[in-house]
Amino acid sequence: MANANANATGNVHGPTRRTTLLDRTHAFCAALLSSSSSPSPPAPADLVGAYFSSSDRHAVAPPAPRITEHGPSWASERLPFLGKTFSGPESCIEYFEVLGRVLDMQLPADAFPPKEGFIVDAEAGMVSVVGRGRFVSKKTGKGWDEEFVYRFSEYDDEGKFGHWEIWADPLSAWEAVGE
């Protein structure tokens, strides 16, 4: 008979796989939040190093880590972070840098729900969450409020994710950035 205390990875002691994925993903989202003591998130290299997997678990897949902000590729002239996948640690750092040159991301303390609001599928190795924030074009000063969806997948054994996908509001970003 299997030990009732064994978790999804077969360990008798320690957190379950679900808890590990949830805790690491929640910590990453918290690191993105704006606050009076820290108006911007940690440096991109620090975020990538702390939360993104560097292992390439799937030899046929692009190298980990990866960031994909979904949207129309035609928008990349104004929004160069949109509609493509940034693959590898240096490219993921580039994603944050490109995004930061175009938009100011303002995520309040309640941008993400408490842990209970994150959707965790430990068997599939995916975590999803809906967030909200304000984004402002650095070029025009125009801003908008939006809700967005993050999906994290391809976790390593430490709970670091290999792929972060973002679905946001590209039309509002397109309009705010202008020509």
Side-chain angles (χ1 to χ4, degrees), residues 4 9 179:
T9 61
E179 294 183 35

Side-chain angles (χ1 to χ4, degrees), residues 116-149:
E116 298 79 30
F118 284 63
I119 301 164
V120 181
D121 184 339
E123 188 173 315
M126 288 189 199
V127 178
S128 299
V129 65
V130 175
R132 65 178 187 79
R134 180 159 185 79
F135 297 83
V136 179
S137 166
K138 290 193 172 179
K139 178 181 174 186
T140 67
K142 293 180 184 175
W144 73 99
D145 296 314
E146 74 172 53
E147 287 190 342
F148 48 86
V149 174

Side-chain angles (χ1 to χ4, degrees), residues 2 21 23-24 30 49 58 78-79 89 94 104 111 123 139-140 143 147 151 154 158 162 175:
L21 301 184
D23 288 349
R24 296 289 292 188
H58 309 288
R78 290 188 201 173
L79 305 167
E94 178 188 0
D104 180 29
E123 188 173 315
K139 178 181 174 186
T140 67
E147 287 190 342
R151 181 173 68 186
E154 300 175 17
E158 298 174 12
E175 287 293 318

